[in-house]
Structures are given as structure tokens and as C-alpha cells.
Amino acid sequence: MNQTMEKDKTDKKDHILDVAEKVFAELGYEGASTRLISGEANVNMAMLNYYFGSKEGVFLAIFERRIASFQSVLLSIGNDGSTNSWEKLNKYIESYVDRVVNNNCFHVMLNREISKSKKTDLTDQITKILMKNVIVFQDIIDNGIKCGEFNKDVDPQLLVATIFGTKNYIVNTPHISSLIIGYDVMDKDNQDEKLKPRLKTYLKKLLKAYLVNENDNNK
Amino acid sequence: MNQTMEKDKTDKKDHILDVAEKVFAELGYEGASTRLISGEANVNMAMLNYYFGSKEGVFLAIFERRIASFQSVLLSIGNDGSTNSWEKLNKYIESYVDRVVNNNCFHVMLNREISKSKKTDLTDQITKILMKNVIVFQDIIDNGIKCGEFNKDVDPQLLVATIFGTKNYIVNTPHISSLIIGYDVMDKDNQDEKLKPRLKTYLKKLLKAYLVNENDNNK
DNA sequence: CAAAATTAATCAATCGTTTGATTAATTTTG
DNA sequence: CAAAATTAATCAAACGATTGATTAATTTTG
């Protein structure tokens, strides 16, 4: 009858988490009430506590579900010792752009939570996860510099902020980035056909200009 | 007796907005209760409504207070017709980094609010303000390209995401960026002595490599 | 004294959570 | 196999706590 039917059989928990992820991304943790989440998911309010213990339990379950894919993708790139630094960087960019754009709701939710300056167990946990991601990227850059593949006078740490920040800006401020870029960045078709390839080529070109150009950047 | 004394005489309203700005940045709009804000500001809860009408009134008042300085700085750069594009860009970067780092609480608050995908009156209002900022930057880039000062095969729109995104990443995710950069980015002394100059030189170098290097970036 | 500022007390509404009852599905028992 | 016992899933209703807001009384100010 309704759109939840096909999921009921497979996994109701996953359906709840899918809906909760969207609502949290839309309204923030405190802004999303348990009544709204359960209503959107077409389940009784008590089911949230029955399944996940509490509202925070729902929130954490969303994270645990996404972390698995995070880790596996990271290792596959880090252990790829066959290619040079520039190729590794390209692979990293490609998989990262795909992953973030595909799970943009989750990343909006994540970034909103981590932007709270007060330290909590959750922010600590998120920080650890994200830092693993950062270190893989930094290792690639550092190795490239050691091998002479990349310029020596670069700032690898701020380059991290640029890569992740550029992505965050597009994903986290869709109202603005859609205006800037010229089409709705939240639209699935636009994401696959336009945004992803454009973002990939842009980031590669930006990185190349900064990392491997021979010109003296010190004037 | 307490730290609010010196401000009581000057302007109590401003003091409340200062505190509210911090609390909103820490906990988000829904996460920050009027009781907590009034408690932190050492004023009676009813004073918030007496002065600003409502909680949302407090929130909007924070914006209105910051917008004025926004606009004036923007115009001063946009109307500076005496210099070339690269010099304009440098000026823009300098003033922008200073402004954002100084008012980091406000910008955290602003970005958390604009990251909500649901359109509201507030997100529309914020979008308009931020777009003014974006357009000034884009005009500089576009002019530079027309004059032949900058490369033609660049992506000015995504470059906007890079500039603002890099800044956002450092300011909005202090737990992570502090780990990456190596010192507490929320510390006032670190901001003035280390972060600001480093960020300025980095952004300039990054822009120069991408915009004005003569090498073919299309290999 | 009149106006403005400030307070404590209180309001209805909503929050996340818990409850007891009911149904559906599964397992155990005779 | 069929009846009984047990478990899991689901529900409407209500819980105490907290929310933003308002009231009426009091104090401060010019």
C-alpha cells in the first residue's frame, strides 16, 4: 500500500534509520523529535525505544551503520602500494567524492554534530573516525613530498582542510552551493551526471597545480 | 563582582547577544534553551522576551548585529577599482580571514543553521547575505579571467566552494582542525599569531598556483 | 510619582520515555 | 499433531520534565 511495505519484510530497523538520518540532517539532533521521526517512518513511537533504547541510541545506530563502509574503503586505498603518490591521490579523491555525495544526508548530520565546540563522547568518537580518514590522505601527501613527487613548500595540513572543506561546503550548504554551481546539488541525477565528475576533475586539477607545478610559488 | 559588571553600564543587550551567540554556536538553536542563555548571561529569563520578543528574536538580533560590518567591508573591496585582480583577491582573502576568525562563534552558528536542508525564512535570509559575499569574490575572479590575468580553464564556481569551505572546515570543526594543524584553533592567541597569517599565505599560494600558473593543467 | 526595568511565579505545549495491554509468531509440552 | 506456554512485536495512553512564553508584582530610574 505505502512505500514502506517493500522494506518491512527486509529490515524494519534499517528503514527507521534511513528515515531518521534524513530527519536529523534536515532539522538537527534536538530539532528532530522522536514523534516526527516515528511518524515519518510510519512506526509507533515506542518502537524507537524498543529497538534502539533511546533517541540517542537511534543517532548512534546511524553512525555504527555507516562506519563499516568507511573503514573498508580507507584500508583498500592505504594498502594500495603498487601505484605512485599522484595515482593514489587520484584514487582517494574519486572514492571520497563518490562516498560523500552518495551519503550526503549522513555527512550533513555528522558535520553538524562535530561542529559543536563542547566535547562529548559522541564528538570524541566522530573525531577518531574522521581522523583516520585524514591520516590516510596526509600519508599520501607526505610520501609524495619525500619521494620528490610533490613540491616541498606546500602546507599539507591546510590542504586537508581544503579537500574536506570544499566537499563539506557543497554538501552541507545546499541552498548556497546550488545557487553557485547552477543546479540543485541535492538532486540525485544531478549528483551522478554533473556534480561528481565535475568535482573530481576540479579537485585533481587544484591539487596538481598546488602540489606538482614547477613554478616558484614564493613570489 | 562578576565578569558581567563592566558591561552592564555600556549595553546589557549586547552582553546578552554575546552570550547567546556563544551558546547557540555550542549547542545549536534548538539545543540552547532560553534558561541556559539567560543563566549564562546572568539575567532573568523574562528579559530575553522583554528585549527581543522571543527566542527567535534573540537569534535574529545576533544576525542583524553582524550584518552591518559584513556589508561595509564587502563594498570597500568591491569598489576598490585602483588595483588589479590579483591585488583585489589578496585584499579579499586578508579581510575575510580576519573577519571570520574573529567572529568564529557567529560563523559556526550561521553555518549550522544554513546546513538545514529545509527552507525557512531564516535560511532564505542567510542565503541572501552569504551570496552577496560570494558574488564579490566571483566578480574578482571573472574580471581576472577576462583581463587575461588568470587562466581560462579554471572553475570559478567550485573555487568559491574551496575558499569558503577551507575556512569553514577550520572554524566549524575545531576538534579536528586543531588536531590536524597542531594547536588549539579556538585559542585567541593562536588565532592571531599563528592561524591567521598561516591561513592567509596558504590561501594566496593555493589561489596563485591554480589561477595564474603558466603550466598546462590539462595533462 | 510615573515610566522603565527586573523579578519570581506560572502558563500551556511539547519533549523523550515508560507503561500495561494486545496481537502475532514461535517453542514447548503431553 | 494439537494445546499450552513463551517470546517478540506493536500499540494507545500517560508519565514527569522541560520548553518558550506570559503574567503580575516589585524595584529602579529619571
Side-chain angles (χ1 to χ4, degrees):
Chain A
M1 194 66 78
N2 58 38
Q3 73 278 16
T4 70
M5 287 299 283
E6 68 262 18
K7 281 224 169 191
D8 278 353
K9 305 280 179 181
T10 61
D11 203 352
K12 200 163 193 172
K13 280 190 175 184
D14 258 356
H15 171 63
I16 293 176
L17 293 184
D18 285 340
V19 173
E21 198 174 65
K22 275 182 195 159
V23 178
F24 279 135
E26 267 187 21
L27 303 170
Y29 179 78
E30 286 85 4
S33 71
T34 54
R35 282 172 179 78
L36 179 59
I37 294 174
S38 59
E40 292 282 314
N42 281 109
V43 298
N44 190 277
M45 207 172 44
M47 297 308 294
L48 299 187
N49 297 299
Y50 180 73
Y51 279 137
F52 307 103
S54 66
K55 181 185 183 181
E56 191 183 358
V58 176
F59 198 72
L60 291 174
I62 294 173
F63 276 89
E64 289 168 5
R65 198 174 58 146
R66 296 281 181 210
I67 290 174
S69 65
F70 253 78
Q71 310 290 40
S72 61
V73 176
L74 281 181
L75 288 177
S76 70
I77 298 174
N79 293 337
D80 192 346
S82 60
T83 55
N84 62 11
S85 296
W86 178 245
E87 288 300 323
K88 271 189 183 177
L89 205 53
N90 273 11
K91 278 189 181 178
Y92 185 90
I93 295 292
E94 299 247 352
S95 83
Y96 189 68
V97 168
D98 283 334
R99 230 159 70 242
V100 170
V101 174
N102 287 341
N103 306 322
N104 58 76
C105 281
F106 173 67
H107 279 86
V108 167
M109 201 185 89
L110 183 150
N111 275 284
R112 196 205 309 279
E113 196 59 26
I114 197 65
S115 79
K116 295 178 180 173
S117 52
K118 178 150 289 180
K119 268 202 173 189
T120 65
D121 291 344
L122 186 58
T123 54
D124 280 346
Q125 200 177 332
I126 300 175
T127 302
K128 282 185 184 174
I129 298 169
L130 295 183
M131 278 306 290
K132 285 189 182 179
N133 214 345
V134 167
I135 287 179
V136 172
F137 180 83
Q138 274 188 324
D139 283 347
I140 298 175
I141 304 291
D142 289 342
N143 266 325
I145 296 176
K146 275 186 188 169
C147 302
E149 218 175 316
F150 298 154
N151 292 336
K152 283 184 178 177
D153 62 333
V154 298
D155 191 330
Q157 297 167 341
L158 286 186
L159 194 60
V160 172
T162 291
I163 298 301
F164 294 102
T166 301
K167 175 271 300 178
N168 282 348
Y169 188 84
I170 294 173
V171 172
N172 294 351
T173 64
H175 296 127
I176 297 177
S177 59
S178 292
L179 282 178
I180 295 175
I181 295 182
Y183 45 79
D184 182 11
V185 298
M186 297 299 276
D187 180 76
K188 184 74 181 150
D189 289 337
N190 284 339
Q191 287 176 355
D192 290 336
E193 297 167 18
K194 299 179 180 176
L195 183 60
K196 284 183 192 175
R198 180 172 171 187
L199 188 53
K200 288 175 187 175
T201 53
Y202 165 74
L203 285 176
K204 290 178 194 171
K205 196 179 285 186
L206 180 69
L207 283 173
K208 195 185 180 190
Y210 181 68
L211 286 173
V212 303
N213 262 346
E214 305 297 326
N215 287 3
D216 59 319
N217 290 335
N218 295 324
K219 169 59 191 306
Chain B
M1 193 68 76
N2 58 39
Q3 74 275 17
T4 70
M5 288 297 285
E6 68 261 20
K7 280 224 168 188
D8 278 353
K9 303 283 180 181
T10 60
D11 204 353
K12 202 164 193 172
K13 279 190 176 186
D14 258 355
H15 171 63
I16 293 176
L17 293 184
D18 285 340
V19 173
E21 199 174 63
K22 275 182 193 159
V23 178
F24 279 136
E26 268 188 19
L27 303 170
Y29 179 76
E30 286 86 2
S33 71
T34 55
R35 280 173 178 79
L36 178 60
I37 294 174
S38 59
E40 292 283 314
N42 282 107
V43 298
N44 190 279
M45 204 176 51
M47 296 306 294
L48 300 187
N49 297 299
Y50 180 73
Y51 279 137
F52 307 103
S54 66
K55 181 184 181 180
E56 192 182 357
V58 176
F59 198 73
L60 292 173
I62 294 174
F63 275 89
E64 288 168 7
R65 195 174 60 145
R66 297 284 181 205
I67 291 174
S69 65
F70 253 79
Q71 312 288 42
S72 62
V73 177
L74 281 181
L75 288 177
S76 71
I77 298 175
N79 292 339
D80 191 346
S82 59
T83 55
N84 61 12
S85 296
W86 178 245
E87 288 300 325
K88 271 190 183 177
L89 206 53
N90 274 10
K91 279 190 182 178
Y92 185 90
I93 295 292
E94 299 247 353
S95 85
Y96 189 68
V97 168
D98 283 335
R99 233 161 66 244
V100 170
V101 174
N102 286 341
N103 305 323
N104 58 76
C105 280
F106 173 69
H107 279 86
V108 167
M109 198 186 91
L110 183 149
N111 274 284
R112 196 206 307 280
E113 196 59 27
I114 196 67
S115 80
K116 294 177 183 173
S117 52
K118 179 150 286 180
K119 268 201 172 190
T120 65
D121 290 344
L122 185 58
T123 56
D124 281 347
Q125 200 177 332
I126 300 175
T127 302
K128 280 185 185 173
I129 298 168
L130 295 183
M131 279 306 290
K132 285 190 182 178
N133 213 345
V134 167
I135 288 179
V136 172
F137 180 83
Q138 274 187 326
D139 283 347
I140 298 175
I141 303 291
D142 289 343
N143 266 326
I145 296 176
K146 275 184 189 170
C147 303
E149 216 174 318
F150 299 153
N151 292 336
K152 283 183 178 176
D153 61 335
V154 298
D155 191 330
Q157 296 167 341
L158 286 186
L159 195 61
V160 172
T162 291
I163 298 300
F164 294 101
T166 301
K167 175 271 301 177
N168 282 347
Y169 189 84
I170 293 173
V171 172
N172 294 351
T173 65
H175 297 127
I176 298 179
S177 58
S178 292
L179 282 178
I180 295 176
I181 295 182
Y183 46 79
D184 182 12
V185 297
M186 298 299 277
D187 179 77
K188 185 75 180 147
D189 289 337
N190 284 339
Q191 287 176 355
D192 290 336
E193 296 168 18
K194 300 179 180 178
L195 184 60
K196 283 183 191 174
R198 181 172 170 187
L199 189 53
K200 288 175 187 174
T201 52
Y202 165 75
L203 286 176
K204 290 178 193 170
K205 195 179 286 187
L206 180 69
L207 283 173
K208 194 184 180 192
Y210 181 70
L211 287 173
V212 303
N213 262 346
E214 305 297 326
N215 287 2
D216 58 321
N217 290 335
N218 295 324
K219 166 62 189 308

